[in-house]
Amino acid sequence: MFRRILVALLLLAVGRFAASQLVNPDAAPAVATAGRLATQENGKIVIDRMTGLHWERGVAATGMNWSDAMSWCNVNTLGLPGSGWRLPTVGELNQLVDRQRSNPAIDPLFTGTPADDFWTSSAVAGESLPWSVSFYAGTTMTSDPATSHRVRCVR
């Protein structure tokens, strides 16, 4: 009996994860990032050689709602060198997920990354229901815009 319940719960969890991936048209399958990342700007920036994107190595000290996250990268000029910083799309942020890792599911070059949910600039088509990426296990899901999540900027 216990085994049947455990199997049912596992199938439900796998089904929910698979459904979240299928509903999300921007999410790319995440791959290991080893060898394609390098730091620049005194370690403040991580360059992804595969995509050409420049990532903020650190993260905001606290979480924020989606509205504040949308503007954070534009106004955080003291913490980020150069210009053109923005909140990443769900597909871009999902590319940082390293499914070979967990808690956090990201390359250790991103030191200090908490195993938390991170905002993206993407939302479900026709709705204001934004996508977020969890760096605990590397999953993608929608979140209430009023929820507090972490932010990592990109340019």
Side-chain angles (χ1 to χ4, degrees), residues 68-80 85-86 153:
D68 291 344
M70 292 291 282
S71 62
W72 172 255
C73 295
N74 294 323
V75 300
N76 186 21
T77 55
L78 295 177
L80 298 169
W85 292 97
R86 59 182 172 77
C153 304

Side-chain angles (χ1 to χ4, degrees), residues 27-118:
V31 296
T33 55
R36 72 177 225 220
L37 301 174
T39 60
Q40 284 189 348
E41 299 284 340
N42 296 324
K44 289 185 176 185
I45 309 266
V46 174
I47 306 284
D48 185 331
R49 295 178 183 134
M50 187 175 90
T51 64
L53 293 173
H54 296 202
W55 291 93
E56 176 182 26
R57 189 174 186 192
V59 295
T62 60
M64 57 191 78
N65 66 40
W66 189 48
S67 177
D68 291 344
M70 292 291 282
S71 62
W72 172 255
C73 295
N74 294 323
V75 300
N76 186 21
T77 55
L78 295 177
L80 298 169
S83 62
W85 292 97
R86 59 182 172 77
L87 198 60
T89 66
V90 67
E92 291 169 339
L93 191 58
N94 201 30
Q95 289 175 6
L96 291 185
V97 172
D98 186 342
R99 297 215 195 287
Q100 297 173 3
R101 303 176 192 281
S102 65
N103 195 20
I106 192 168
D107 190 289
L109 190 61
F110 289 96
T111 55
T113 297
D116 291 338
D117 298 339
F118 283 73

Side-chain angles (χ1 to χ4, degrees), residues 9-28:
L9 289 173
L10 180 62
L11 290 173
L12 179 64
V14 168
R16 289 178 70 193
F17 171 74
S20 73
Q21 296 301 312
L22 292 174
V23 175
N24 183 352
D26 294 324

